[in-house]
Amino acid sequence: MVSGQLFSQKRNNPFRVHMKQPIVTSLMAKKIYTLLPKNLEQQIIILCIGTDRSTGDSLGPLIGTKLLERAFNQFPIYGTLNEPVHAKNLDETLAIIQENYEDPFILAIDACLGRSQSVGYMTVADGPLQPGTAVNKKLPSVGDIHITGIVNVNGFMEMMVLQNTRLSIVMDMADIISRAIARSARWRETNPNWLTTSLKRENFI
């Protein structure tokens, strides 16, 4: 769980889109695609951070689980409802990834708290995220790129806020993000002819 205040648009220039915006899945997929490594030999890892013990912090594990349910097999997935990656095992998980893959490219995913008017927004950005900041935990920065979803409001009694986050918001976000990741991975494999033109027209590249 990260704090929305970490992601200043000026510094990280993230792509932000609301979950209710039309064609949101396609927009997110296009942004993710532009940030994935062009080297098809480089191993991409999906690292979904969070816990199934808190509704607000379950976004990551839900995404990991939904990807598995879609029979997604392009990239290894760490972090599901059955095997979550959270504060207690993040270091161990990162060590396992480094031991098993040469020069892995990590797509990190986590839930986020932010301002009330930002709830429902999702972010795709270059660079790592800093998990645990919303609940004052010091965890290692992680990810070559990252995705976050703002699930509730930060500022006071964050643990209580997370426990009382609406499940519908988290579920809908998990569905959008998992679909977007799967779509971007498919485009990376097939490189459809229309995609570059569309990305240029919509200012993604």
Side-chain angles (χ1 to χ4, degrees):
M1 173 65 65
V2 297
S3 168
Q5 294 177 348
L6 284 178
F7 303 111
S8 128
Q9 290 204 15
K10 185 174 182 182
R11 188 184 68 181
N12 289 329
N13 193 27
F15 168 81
R16 296 179 77 240
V17 62
H18 197 274
M19 57 190 292
K20 298 298 184 182
Q21 182 168 329
I23 64 168
V24 60
T25 301
S26 181
L27 292 172
M28 287 202 72
K30 288 176 179 178
K31 184 61 181 179
I32 295 167
Y33 172 85
T34 64
L35 295 177
L36 294 178
K38 300 300 183 284
N39 179 8
L40 297 182
E41 299 301 318
Q42 187 171 11
Q43 181 64 68
I44 297 172
I45 307 293
I46 307 295
L47 179 59
C48 304
I49 301 168
T51 174
D52 61 333
R53 296 177 181 271
S54 168
T55 304
D57 205 17
S58 64
L59 177 64
L62 275 168
I63 291 169
T65 298
K66 283 179 175 289
L67 285 170
L68 290 181
E69 290 174 349
R70 297 181 197 284
F72 179 86
N73 58 11
Q74 286 92 333
F75 314 140
I77 299 166
Y78 289 81
T80 63
L81 292 176
N82 286 333
E83 297 182 6
V85 175
H86 43 65
K88 292 183 178 180
N89 65 1
L90 178 58
D91 283 321
E92 177 187 352
T93 303
L94 291 174
I96 291 171
I97 292 172
Q98 294 299 327
E99 288 173 5
N100 285 277
Y101 304 98
E102 182 178 352
D103 189 29
F105 182 96
I106 297 177
L107 166 53
I109 305 168
D110 200 359
C112 183
L113 296 179
R115 298 175 181 174
S116 58
Q117 63 267 34
S118 295
V119 174
Y121 275 91
M122 297 168 292
T123 296
V124 183
D126 200 6
L129 58 77
Q130 182 70 56
T133 54
V135 289
N136 299 313
K137 291 182 179 179
K138 292 183 178 180
L139 298 174
S141 299
V142 59
D144 295 280
I145 62 174
H146 66 264
I147 299 173
T148 59
I150 302 177
V151 298
N152 214 327
V153 181
N154 67 354
F156 181 68
M157 296 183 68
E158 281 81 1
M159 293 302 296
M160 185 68 70
V161 168
L162 291 174
Q163 294 290 348
N164 288 280
T165 296
R166 291 187 62 197
L167 180 59
S168 63
I169 292 177
V170 181
M171 290 291 290
D172 287 348
M173 275 192 182
D175 191 55
I176 292 166
I177 295 171
S178 61
R179 287 177 182 273
I181 291 171
R183 192 172 300 181
S184 67
R186 186 167 64 250
W187 288 341
R188 186 171 181 266
E189 288 183 341
T190 60
N191 192 26
N193 293 330
W194 58 267
L195 183 56
T196 300
T197 300
S198 177
L199 292 173
K200 289 180 179 177
R201 185 176 63 246
E202 298 173 31
N203 296 318
F204 281 100
I205 56 176

